[in-house]
Amino acid sequence: MPRAGLSPASVTEAAAALADEIGFKNLSMGLLAERLGIKTPSLYKHVANQADLTHRIAVLAMNELSDAIRDATQGRSGKEALVAGAHAMRTYVLEHPGRYAAGNAAIVTGPDDPLTPAVGRVLASWTAMLHGYRLDADQEIHALRMLRSILHGFSALEAIGSFQLNADVDDSFTWMLGFIDQGLKAKWPDLVPSR
């Protein structure tokens, strides 16, 4: 019989918090069971296995990230939305590095996978950040890929302490966002060859 108070959702939340503390790569069913004060086999009453647990954390993380970006950008457009959304993502990654890593490690398993709409919500949040730039459909796809790559790269590197130069990291982030804003305003249609 499952322990009272535990459910797939509460186990996932506990695992996400533990991943944030010790790092996603260090998360194990044994450590999670210890944190919850139960025997490891008891976890399997709530989650199928480590892969299922990772997948559940990924869904949680993508939903949380999309909410953070949405809340930060609501009522804003153009550079103001870009800056607010970028800061929301950076803050989320720094506060939740383990669950964010799980979100990037999980792979969609099929059409009914709850990760699909969760990732879709993040993409919708990024699209909303770009809305004020009035990009055409082709440019928007390139801009989304650029935005994801740059924000993910900066935030993930900062989360693991990779920025060792003595320049202020906040200043670098502000400079980067200004650079992105100027590029999006320029639109540069001739950069992508026509097919």
Side-chain angles (χ1 to χ4, degrees):
M1 177 167 199
R3 179 179 161 189
L6 287 184
S7 66
S10 66
V11 167
T12 301
E13 187 62 51
L18 184 58
D20 288 339
E21 288 175 34
I22 66 171
F24 169 65
K25 289 183 178 182
N26 298 318
L27 180 66
S28 70
M29 299 293 272
L31 287 173
L32 178 59
E34 185 179 312
R35 168 64 58 94
L36 292 170
I38 60 174
K39 303 272 187 209
T40 303
S42 298
L43 281 175
Y44 296 100
K45 296 172 183 164
H46 307 286
V47 294
N49 50 39
Q50 180 92 23
D52 178 41
L53 182 63
T54 295
H55 207 79
R56 290 171 183 272
I57 296 169
V59 172
L60 174 68
M62 293 299 99
N63 281 317
E64 289 176 342
L65 177 59
S66 67
D67 288 348
I69 296 170
R70 180 205 61 214
D71 293 350
T73 58
Q74 205 159 24
R76 295 182 162 102
S77 67
K79 184 176 182 181
E80 191 180 346
L82 172 71
V83 169
H87 278 285
M89 179 170 172
R90 179 184 177 205
T91 298
Y92 184 84
V93 175
L94 293 175
E95 290 177 355
H96 303 291
R99 65 184 78 194
Y100 179 74
N104 285 291
I107 297 171
V108 173
T109 59
D112 296 329
D113 188 335
L115 186 57
T116 300
V119 169
R121 292 183 66 219
V122 174
L123 287 173
S125 294
W126 285 332
T127 300
M129 287 168 62
L130 296 172
H131 182 73
Y133 291 100
R134 299 187 181 356
L135 303 172
D136 66 35
D138 289 338
Q139 288 177 327
E140 188 173 89
I141 290 170
H142 300 309
L144 282 168
R145 287 177 177 160
M146 174 199 65
L147 198 58
R148 178 183 183 209
S149 299
I150 292 172
L151 294 180
H152 165 76
F154 191 101
S155 300
L157 287 169
E158 185 180 11
I160 61 171
S162 286
F163 294 134
Q164 299 298 313
L165 299 175
N166 60 2
D168 185 79
V169 176
D170 290 334
D171 289 346
S172 295
F173 195 72
T174 299
W175 184 92
M176 180 184 76
L177 294 178
F179 191 84
I180 294 169
D181 173 62
Q182 290 302 309
L184 290 170
K185 286 176 181 170
K187 297 186 181 163
W188 296 332
D190 57 337
L191 287 182
V192 180
S194 57
R195 298 190 191 271

